[in-house]
Amino acid sequence: NAVEPFNNELVRQAMNHAVNVDEILELTAAGYGAKLGTSIYPAFGKYFDESLVGYYEYDVKKAKALLAEAGYPDGFTIKVWTNENQNRIAICEMIQNAWAQIGITAEVTVMEHAAMIALYSNGEHEIVVNGFSAGAPDGDFVHDNFYSTVEWGTNYTGYRNPEWDKLVDDARTLTGDPAGREALYAQAIDILREDLPSISVRYSE
């Protein structure tokens, strides 16, 4: 999210609309796991809104329109990294084909896992296809994943939004006020839904 063209939320939204998550699940995970449509996972606990799963539906026409609105009507070329995991390689091939439909050329490189982590932990990446293990079932677990001042090792999307930071900081202080905490996380989720710092495909426990 820190460099062009990914610092434009319209580009990120377009790229999500171009990806057929149902097809990816069917062909790479045998339908296993829950579909995700935004950066908000069931590990948010009670803050998770299931209606968001279909928020970025597969819609190539809409994806093209958003990309044009963002100033990239002819698309662009990007570098995509993943590790030797066969499911992730298959996902890369599918999103490569998906993004080609809207003019985005994705150059996929398969790396040794530790080498890839070392590179993206320093922010030397454009797009990484990888997994993420959630912590406690509470909205607070995503704090470091999207918090502006956290280094690349955790916030590997490079997402920066002071409004998000303030909401999750304030929510952290309301340990004795569940209703107030929930209201703040609801606002934070609204921001994350629209900003879409990453494309999320599948959730499994």
Side-chain angles (χ1 to χ4, degrees), residues 11-78:
V11 169
R12 301 194 296 267
Q13 292 170 11
M15 294 174 78
N16 205 356
H17 277 299
V19 172
N20 189 333
V21 175
D22 289 318
E23 187 176 56
I24 289 176
L25 287 180
E26 181 181 350
L27 297 180
T28 69
Y32 176 72
K35 175 183 175 181
L36 286 176
T38 69
S39 306
I40 303 155
Y41 322 100
F44 265 83
K46 65 183 178 180
Y47 306 107
F48 173 67
D49 181 353
E50 193 169 352
S51 69
L52 296 178
V53 168
Y55 191 76
Y56 288 96
E57 73 281 6
Y58 175 58
D59 189 332
V60 174
K61 184 177 180 180
K62 188 170 185 177
K64 288 180 177 179
L66 284 168
L67 208 58
E69 184 181 349
Y72 299 94
D74 300 319
F76 45 82
T77 299
I78 56 174

Side-chain angles (χ1 to χ4, degrees), residues 144-201:
D144 287 356
N145 288 79
F146 301 116
Y147 199 78
S148 295
T149 58
V150 172
E151 294 302 318
W152 281 105
T154 306
N155 181 8
Y156 59 85
T157 66
Y159 180 64
R160 304 285 186 268
N161 187 324
E163 188 179 359
W164 158 268
D165 293 348
K166 186 177 188 311
L167 285 167
V168 294
D169 278 344
D170 290 348
R172 275 188 159 185
T173 68
L174 297 179
T175 54
D177 181 6
R181 183 177 171 90
E182 188 168 352
L184 289 174
Y185 271 120
Q187 294 177 58
I189 284 171
D190 283 343
I191 292 172
L192 211 58
R193 177 192 64 207
E194 298 301 326
D195 282 358
L196 195 70
S198 62
I199 295 176
S200 304
V201 174

Side-chain angles (χ1 to χ4, degrees), residues 62-131:
K62 188 170 185 177
K64 288 180 177 179
L66 284 168
L67 208 58
E69 184 181 349
Y72 299 94
D74 300 319
F76 45 82
T77 299
I78 56 174
K79 293 181 174 65
V80 179
W81 297 349
T82 195
N83 60 19
E84 305 98 327
N85 180 291
Q86 291 303 311
N87 275 347
R88 291 174 191 160
I89 293 172
I91 289 172
C92 282
E93 292 171 348
M94 294 184 73
I95 61 176
Q96 186 180 47
N97 292 331
W99 288 336
Q101 296 180 87
I102 61 173
I104 297 175
T105 300
E107 300 174 346
V108 177
T109 300
V110 178
M111 298 183 176
E112 189 274 327
H113 190 59
M116 184 179 77
I117 291 176
L119 288 169
Y120 79 61
S121 293
N122 290 323
E124 298 180 38
H125 60 295
E126 291 185 341
I127 292 180
V128 169
V129 174
N130 203 4

